[in-house]
Amino acid sequence: MIDSDYDTLKERIHTLIQEWKERLWLRHWSIDITYERNGISPESHTYGAVASTHTLWEYMSATITIDMPRFSLYSPEEQEEILVHEFMHVMVGEMRDGMQCEHGGERWNMKHEERVCTLLTHAIIDLYGQGEREKKEEKKEKEHENPI
């Protein structure tokens, strides 16, 4: 990935993070982004994922790690969906407190959390889009009622 593409993508991610952090009422959270320019290491337990999230919910702190080469292959809409999905992990992460994934010892299944985060992502993006469409329609109606 060339420098200009990398910088442009980082800027886009930063903008989306700020927008969705506000929309999802996570403005009080400290959310750091780790940009893996060369991809997520094969030694990492999250290898193969486009993005992953680690939360310290009791401190309202999270880190989202992004595999930049893989992330860049997705459309802007899909990139936004990926980031919203990671925010869903921020929001539900405390529900697995006291449990560890298979790589950490005690076995538990992340599939449930992934399904919940995926469903919430689709619902929230859909609802947000619907609200934006309604705002545009209301604006058109007002302009039609009160032409200048």
mmCIF file of all heavy atoms in Angstrom, residues 87-107:
data_model
loop_
_atom_site.group_PDB
_atom_site.id
_atom_site.type_symbol
_atom_site.label_atom_id
_atom_site.label_comp_id
_atom_site.label_asym_id
_atom_site.label_seq_id
_atom_site.Cartn_x
_atom_site.Cartn_y
_atom_site.Cartn_z
ATOM 1 N N PHE A 87 -17.580 -1.220 16.727
ATOM 2 C CA PHE A 87 -18.188 -0.443 17.806
ATOM 3 C C PHE A 87 -19.213 -1.267 18.577
ATOM 4 O O PHE A 87 -19.396 -1.085 19.777
ATOM 5 C CB PHE A 87 -18.857 0.832 17.269
ATOM 6 C CG PHE A 87 -17.934 2.008 17.142
ATOM 7 C CD1 PHE A 87 -17.881 2.744 15.977
ATOM 8 C CD2 PHE A 87 -17.131 2.402 18.208
ATOM 9 C CE1 PHE A 87 -17.042 3.847 15.870
ATOM 10 C CE2 PHE A 87 -16.288 3.493 18.106
ATOM 11 C CZ PHE A 87 -16.243 4.220 16.934
ATOM 12 N N MET A 88 -19.889 -2.169 17.883
ATOM 13 C CA MET A 88 -20.833 -3.044 18.582
ATOM 14 C C MET A 88 -20.082 -3.935 19.581
ATOM 15 O O MET A 88 -20.570 -4.200 20.679
ATOM 16 C CB MET A 88 -21.628 -3.910 17.596
ATOM 17 C CG MET A 88 -22.550 -3.143 16.670
ATOM 18 S SD MET A 88 -23.767 -2.117 17.528
ATOM 19 C CE MET A 88 -23.028 -0.493 17.387
ATOM 20 N N HIS A 89 -18.872 -4.369 19.220
ATOM 21 C CA HIS A 89 -18.062 -5.139 20.167
ATOM 22 C C HIS A 89 -17.697 -4.283 21.383
ATOM 23 O O HIS A 89 -17.664 -4.785 22.506
ATOM 24 C CB HIS A 89 -16.785 -5.670 19.502
ATOM 25 C CG HIS A 89 -17.010 -6.849 18.622
ATOM 26 N ND1 HIS A 89 -17.371 -8.094 19.112
ATOM 27 C CD2 HIS A 89 -16.937 -6.977 17.279
ATOM 28 C CE1 HIS A 89 -17.498 -8.938 18.105
ATOM 29 N NE2 HIS A 89 -17.249 -8.283 16.973
ATOM 30 N N VAL A 90 -17.440 -2.997 21.151
ATOM 31 C CA VAL A 90 -17.165 -2.088 22.273
ATOM 32 C C VAL A 90 -18.373 -2.083 23.209
ATOM 33 O O VAL A 90 -18.235 -2.172 24.431
ATOM 34 C CB VAL A 90 -16.867 -0.659 21.769
ATOM 35 C CG1 VAL A 90 -16.833 0.338 22.929
ATOM 36 C CG2 VAL A 90 -15.558 -0.620 20.990
ATOM 37 N N MET A 91 -19.563 -2.015 22.628
ATOM 38 C CA MET A 91 -20.778 -1.878 23.431
ATOM 39 C C MET A 91 -21.163 -3.158 24.179
ATOM 40 O O MET A 91 -21.695 -3.087 25.275
ATOM 41 C CB MET A 91 -21.932 -1.397 22.556
ATOM 42 C CG MET A 91 -21.669 -0.012 21.978
ATOM 43 S SD MET A 91 -22.970 0.558 20.892
ATOM 44 C CE MET A 91 -24.020 1.351 22.105
ATOM 45 N N VAL A 92 -20.898 -4.314 23.593
ATOM 46 C CA VAL A 92 -21.334 -5.561 24.240
ATOM 47 C C VAL A 92 -20.190 -6.318 24.902
ATOM 48 O O VAL A 92 -20.417 -7.346 25.539
ATOM 49 C CB VAL A 92 -22.079 -6.504 23.250
ATOM 50 C CG1 VAL A 92 -23.253 -5.805 22.598
ATOM 51 C CG2 VAL A 92 -21.136 -7.083 22.217
ATOM 52 N N GLY A 93 -18.977 -5.807 24.796
ATOM 53 C CA GLY A 93 -17.807 -6.525 25.300
ATOM 54 C C GLY A 93 -17.868 -6.917 26.762
ATOM 55 O O GLY A 93 -17.348 -7.970 27.149
ATOM 56 N N GLU A 94 -18.508 -6.127 27.583
ATOM 57 C CA GLU A 94 -18.539 -6.442 29.012
ATOM 58 C C GLU A 94 -19.382 -7.674 29.317
ATOM 59 O O GLU A 94 -19.254 -8.264 30.387
ATOM 60 C CB GLU A 94 -19.020 -5.248 29.825
ATOM 61 C CG GLU A 94 -20.458 -4.882 29.634
ATOM 62 C CD GLU A 94 -20.794 -3.570 30.322
ATOM 63 O OE1 GLU A 94 -20.513 -2.513 29.726
ATOM 64 O OE2 GLU A 94 -21.309 -3.611 31.453
ATOM 65 N N MET A 95 -20.215 -8.097 28.372
ATOM 66 C CA MET A 95 -21.045 -9.275 28.611
ATOM 67 C C MET A 95 -20.211 -10.557 28.683
ATOM 68 O O MET A 95 -20.664 -11.559 29.205
ATOM 69 C CB MET A 95 -22.112 -9.411 27.523
ATOM 70 C CG MET A 95 -23.110 -8.284 27.602
ATOM 71 S SD MET A 95 -24.506 -8.311 26.458
ATOM 72 C CE MET A 95 -24.114 -9.436 25.205
ATOM 73 N N ARG A 96 -18.979 -10.503 28.186
ATOM 74 C CA ARG A 96 -18.136 -11.699 28.280
ATOM 75 C C ARG A 96 -17.101 -11.593 29.399
ATOM 76 O O ARG A 96 -16.161 -12.360 29.446
ATOM 77 C CB ARG A 96 -17.504 -12.012 26.937
ATOM 78 C CG ARG A 96 -16.380 -11.140 26.509
ATOM 79 C CD ARG A 96 -15.828 -11.662 25.189
ATOM 80 N NE ARG A 96 -15.966 -10.683 24.149
ATOM 81 C CZ ARG A 96 -14.938 -9.961 23.708
ATOM 82 N NH1 ARG A 96 -13.742 -10.138 24.182
ATOM 83 N NH2 ARG A 96 -15.136 -9.072 22.765
ATOM 84 N N ASP A 97 -17.307 -10.652 30.292
ATOM 85 C CA ASP A 97 -16.390 -10.481 31.420
ATOM 86 C C ASP A 97 -16.242 -11.796 32.186
ATOM 87 O O ASP A 97 -17.216 -12.479 32.483
ATOM 88 C CB ASP A 97 -16.901 -9.392 32.360
ATOM 89 C CG ASP A 97 -15.891 -9.030 33.429
ATOM 90 O OD1 ASP A 97 -14.683 -9.161 33.174
ATOM 91 O OD2 ASP A 97 -16.314 -8.623 34.517
ATOM 92 N N GLY A 98 -15.012 -12.153 32.503
ATOM 93 C CA GLY A 98 -14.755 -13.377 33.251
ATOM 94 C C GLY A 98 -14.589 -14.594 32.372
ATOM 95 O O GLY A 98 -14.204 -15.655 32.838
ATOM 96 N N MET A 99 -14.868 -14.455 31.086
ATOM 97 C CA MET A 99 -14.690 -15.559 30.153
ATOM 98 C C MET A 99 -13.511 -15.237 29.246
ATOM 99 O O MET A 99 -13.203 -14.079 29.019
ATOM 100 C CB MET A 99 -15.935 -15.734 29.295
ATOM 101 C CG MET A 99 -17.159 -16.095 30.060
ATOM 102 S SD MET A 99 -18.493 -16.387 28.905
ATOM 103 C CE MET A 99 -19.793 -15.480 29.697
ATOM 104 N N GLN A 100 -12.886 -16.253 28.754
ATOM 105 C CA GLN A 100 -11.781 -16.053 27.825
ATOM 106 C C GLN A 100 -12.041 -16.864 26.574
ATOM 107 O O GLN A 100 -12.677 -17.913 26.620
ATOM 108 C CB GLN A 100 -10.466 -16.498 28.451
ATOM 109 C CG GLN A 100 -10.072 -15.662 29.650
ATOM 110 C CD GLN A 100 -8.827 -16.205 30.302
ATOM 111 O OE1 GLN A 100 -8.530 -17.388 30.218
ATOM 112 N NE2 GLN A 100 -8.091 -15.334 30.943
ATOM 113 N N CYS A 101 -11.521 -16.386 25.478
ATOM 114 C CA CYS A 101 -11.643 -17.123 24.226
ATOM 115 C C CYS A 101 -10.754 -18.359 24.284
ATOM 116 O O CYS A 101 -9.887 -18.478 25.155
ATOM 117 C CB CYS A 101 -11.229 -16.246 23.051
ATOM 118 S SG CYS A 101 -12.287 -14.821 22.817
ATOM 119 N N GLU A 102 -10.921 -19.255 23.328
ATOM 120 C CA GLU A 102 -10.189 -20.508 23.311
ATOM 121 C C GLU A 102 -8.687 -20.304 23.440
ATOM 122 O O GLU A 102 -8.010 -21.056 24.122
ATOM 123 C CB GLU A 102 -10.495 -21.269 22.018
ATOM 124 C CG GLU A 102 -11.919 -21.742 21.942
ATOM 125 C CD GLU A 102 -12.217 -22.421 20.626
ATOM 126 O OE1 GLU A 102 -11.259 -22.786 19.910
ATOM 127 O OE2 GLU A 102 -13.400 -22.591 20.325
ATOM 128 N N HIS A 103 -8.142 -19.297 22.801
ATOM 129 C CA HIS A 103 -6.695 -19.092 22.826
ATOM 130 C C HIS A 103 -6.203 -18.650 24.205
ATOM 131 O O HIS A 103 -5.019 -18.730 24.474
ATOM 132 C CB HIS A 103 -6.276 -18.075 21.764
ATOM 133 C CG HIS A 103 -6.785 -16.710 22.064
ATOM 134 N ND1 HIS A 103 -8.040 -16.303 21.676
ATOM 135 C CD2 HIS A 103 -6.244 -15.665 22.735
ATOM 136 C CE1 HIS A 103 -8.239 -15.071 22.095
ATOM 137 N NE2 HIS A 103 -7.171 -14.665 22.729
ATOM 138 N N GLY A 104 -7.112 -18.198 25.067
ATOM 139 C CA GLY A 104 -6.701 -17.675 26.353
ATOM 140 C C GLY A 104 -6.916 -18.627 27.509
ATOM 141 O O GLY A 104 -6.652 -18.287 28.652
ATOM 142 N N GLY A 105 -7.405 -19.811 27.272
ATOM 143 C CA GLY A 105 -7.622 -20.738 28.368
ATOM 144 C C GLY A 105 -9.028 -21.297 28.353
ATOM 145 O O GLY A 105 -9.357 -22.147 27.537
ATOM 146 N N GLU A 106 -9.867 -20.806 29.250
ATOM 147 C CA GLU A 106 -11.251 -21.268 29.349
ATOM 148 C C GLU A 106 -11.961 -21.135 27.995
ATOM 149 O O GLU A 106 -11.847 -20.135 27.312
ATOM 150 C CB GLU A 106 -11.960 -20.408 30.404
ATOM 151 C CG GLU A 106 -13.313 -20.892 30.807
ATOM 152 C CD GLU A 106 -13.917 -20.003 31.875
ATOM 153 O OE1 GLU A 106 -13.154 -19.512 32.739
ATOM 154 O OE2 GLU A 106 -15.125 -19.807 31.833
ATOM 155 N N ARG A 107 -12.681 -22.175 27.615
ATOM 156 C CA ARG A 107 -13.323 -22.158 26.301
ATOM 157 C C ARG A 107 -14.673 -21.433 26.351
ATOM 158 O O ARG A 107 -15.454 -21.629 27.249
ATOM 159 C CB ARG A 107 -13.546 -23.583 25.814
ATOM 160 C CG ARG A 107 -12.259 -24.314 25.518
ATOM 161 C CD ARG A 107 -12.537 -25.732 25.082
ATOM 162 N NE ARG A 107 -13.334 -25.788 23.870
ATOM 163 C CZ ARG A 107 -12.834 -25.856 22.639
ATOM 164 N NH1 ARG A 107 -11.540 -25.886 22.479
ATOM 165 N NH2 ARG A 107 -13.629 -25.924 21.596
#
